[in-house]
Amino acid sequence: MKKIFFILIAVFLVFLFIPGSGASAQPPPANKVAKIQEAINKAKALKTKADKIYQQALNETVKKFGDEYAKAKTDAERRKVVDQARKFFQQRLRTLGWGRAKKAKDEAFQRIIQEVNKTYKIDTRNVRGEPTFSQDVEGEGECYPDGTVRIGPSAFTSPGVVASTKKHEATHADQAAGGRWPRGAVERHDAEIEAYGKEMTSADTVGLTDAERNEVLTRLRYHLAQKKVALINEIRSAKTSMNNDKQRKELDKIVRKVHQIQKMEEKGDEEKAIQQKNEIIKEIEQLIKGAKDQAKNTLERIRDHFNELKEAELFVIKVETIEDLRDARDVPIAGKDQKEEINKIIDKLKRLIDTQKKGKESEVMDPSLLLGSE
């Protein structure tokens, strides 16, 4: 709590000297949102119907061929049973009308995606073509290196979540278009931190509920934690690229220091943790001076990832501060002027997050000010 207090004070003081950015963005009209929600409910009903038909055909197939498959004694006999079962299964799907049900379901979900495009006006300039619905997507959405986006059934819990998912995947498309498609675990988590951060800053605009916001924030924190784990694994793997035992021992020391950093952060001692990170970066710089060839390239990459970790942590602090300010704004005793001022601060924090990955943050403020002082 002490740390949060200093963060809020520092943010407030900094932003008092930055020109206002206007009122908070508002979600679309309630009647339009309600219309999309109604369409989601109908699409889910169509999905339930298609799923039931599929399950019925599957159950009938297992009942008809299960015993026969169990009695088969050779691979050839088992393959024969499987081929017969597959043909029977496909025939039952056709007879029960699964193809028509699936088409109706897919088209219903696709229309929702199109309606969300019109209603929420999300920037998808780097998305290749129209985002498409796909039953095969395990999470809410997927983006591919070419900018293609697919939206899965899990996204269709509310209009806000569909819009937020599009925002998330559009961020990945922006990363791909900007030559920032992740390579390796550390960069994958960094990409997710940016995408979930963008979801948080647009949460008010798309009208996410408190529960939906909390889920996004939980995922954001998860990827930050996993980024640290991936960085430790990367340092350990880097030992094989070093020129000598001295360099390898130094890397072991750095791993131990990273573990110490994690313990500091668990105790809420962010200042010491950041100081320790700065010391690690200096130690890596010294190693780079004495390294050659592959060892030098590996150490430079690790140094860059440490710098990116500091940036990611500041990124998450800003997002969390937005949530803290939002809670303060919504306290019943807060006055109108206070709420308006807090809204301005929230908007400016969102603007900072939007510019952070573009390398323009220094034009707005010094990120170190966000940490306050003891």
Side-chain angles (χ1 to χ4, degrees):
M1 290 300 296
K2 183 179 179 183
K3 184 61 197 170
I4 290 297
F5 173 77
F6 281 112
I7 291 172
L8 295 179
I9 292 298
V11 170
F12 188 81
L13 290 175
V14 169
F15 283 110
L16 284 180
F17 299 98
I18 301 177
S21 60
S24 297
Q26 297 297 318
N31 62 326
K32 290 188 176 181
V33 175
K35 184 178 179 181
I36 297 175
Q37 184 62 61
E38 183 181 351
I40 289 175
N41 295 339
K42 291 180 179 179
K44 284 185 172 181
L46 291 172
K47 180 180 181 301
T48 298
K49 179 181 178 180
D51 289 347
K52 284 183 177 179
I53 292 174
Y54 189 92
Q55 192 60 48
Q56 179 181 342
L58 183 61
N59 291 342
E60 290 178 4
T61 302
V62 172
K63 183 177 181 180
K64 183 175 180 65
F65 294 94
D67 290 342
E68 188 175 347
Y69 183 85
K71 293 177 182 178
K73 297 180 180 180
T74 66
D75 289 343
E77 290 176 346
R78 282 187 282 271
R79 283 196 297 272
K80 182 178 179 180
V81 175
V82 169
D83 288 340
Q84 292 174 338
R86 185 180 293 111
K87 291 177 181 178
F88 176 83
F89 177 64
Q90 295 298 329
Q91 182 181 10
R92 289 302 296 153
L93 287 177
R94 287 192 294 272
T95 301
L96 295 171
W98 179 76
R100 294 188 300 275
K102 178 181 180 299
K103 181 180 179 181
K105 176 255 299 182
D106 290 348
E107 289 177 347
F109 280 118
Q110 191 62 43
R111 284 194 297 271
I112 293 168
I113 293 173
Q114 293 169 348
E115 190 59 37
V116 166
N117 285 348
K118 298 176 185 177
T119 304
Y120 292 87
K121 296 180 172 55
I122 295 168
D123 182 1
T124 57
R125 71 184 72 181
N126 289 317
V127 174
R128 184 178 181 183
E130 175 77 32
T132 57
F133 170 77
S134 175
Q135 183 72 36
D136 299 330
V137 175
E138 294 183 3
E140 287 82 5
E142 292 178 345
C143 180
Y144 299 89
D146 65 353
T148 300
V149 169
R150 299 196 304 168
I151 308 295
S154 298
F156 295 86
T157 55
S158 72
V161 172
V162 178
S164 193
T165 298
K166 287 194 64 180
K167 180 77 172 180
H168 183 112
E169 302 307 331
T171 302
H172 288 318
D174 293 342
Q175 292 163 354
R180 296 187 293 116
W181 191 258
R183 296 169 296 176
V186 176
E187 293 183 7
R188 282 197 297 273
H189 290 298
D190 196 44
E192 293 300 333
I193 288 169
E194 181 182 355
Y196 281 116
K198 291 296 181 68
E199 283 198 66
M200 289 302 301
T201 59
S202 64
D204 285 331
T205 306
V206 302
L208 292 185
T209 65
D210 287 344
E212 290 165 349
R213 295 174 77 105
N214 287 336
E215 175 61 26
V216 175
L217 185 56
T218 296
R219 297 186 188 187
L220 178 62
R221 289 168 173 158
Y222 167 81
H223 284 289
L224 178 60
Q226 290 302 305
K227 179 180 172 72
K228 296 172 187 175
V229 173
L231 184 52
I232 289 174
N233 292 335
E234 183 179 56
I235 297 170
R236 286 174 173 159
S237 299
K239 290 168 61 178
T240 59
S241 303
M242 295 300 101
N243 301 129
N244 51 58
D245 287 339
K246 182 180 178 181
Q247 291 173 343
R248 285 186 277 274
K249 289 179 181 178
E250 288 299 320
L251 286 182
D252 285 334
K253 289 180 183 179
I254 290 174
V255 168
R256 288 195 291 270
K257 287 185 178 181
V258 175
H259 284 301
Q260 291 173 359
I261 288 172
Q262 290 176 312
K263 291 179 181 179
M264 291 175 188
E265 291 171 336
E266 288 172 2
K267 295 178 181 178
D269 199 347
E270 288 91 349
E271 285 84 1
K272 285 186 178 179
I274 288 178
Q275 183 179 357
Q276 184 80 295
K277 291 189 188 83
N278 289 333
E279 291 176 1
I280 288 175
I281 291 171
K282 290 179 181 178
E283 292 174 8
I284 296 174
E285 291 284 5
Q286 288 299 316
L287 284 174
I288 290 172
K289 290 179 180 179
K292 298 178 181 180
D293 304 325
Q294 186 178 355
K296 184 177 180 180
N297 293 335
T298 300
L299 289 168
E300 287 175 342
R301 185 177 68 251
I302 292 174
R303 176 203 57 197
D304 292 343
H305 284 168
F306 261 104
N307 282 317
E308 289 163 1
L309 175 61
K310 289 172 57 182
E311 180 180 301
E313 287 175 327
L314 283 170
F315 186 87
V316 174
I317 286 173
K318 291 167 193 169
V319 172
E320 290 176 330
T321 303
I322 287 175
E323 293 305 289
D324 290 331
L325 288 168
R326 184 173 174 269
D327 291 341
R329 177 195 65 190
D330 295 338
V331 172
I333 61 173
K336 181 180 178 181
D337 292 342
Q338 181 182 352
K339 289 181 179 180
E340 289 180 355
E341 190 61 38
I342 290 175
N343 278 336
K344 290 179 182 179
I345 297 171
I346 290 173
D347 286 343
K348 290 161 188 171
L349 273 169
K350 290 179 180 179
R351 182 158 51 87
L352 279 173
I353 290 173
D354 286 338
T355 60
Q356 181 167 1
K357 291 296 180 182
K358 300 175 184 177
K360 298 179 181 178
E361 185 165 323
S362 60
E363 299 174 10
V364 186
M365 66 174 283
D366 179 358
S368 64
L369 295 175
L370 198 59
L371 293 174
S373 59
E374 291 293 340

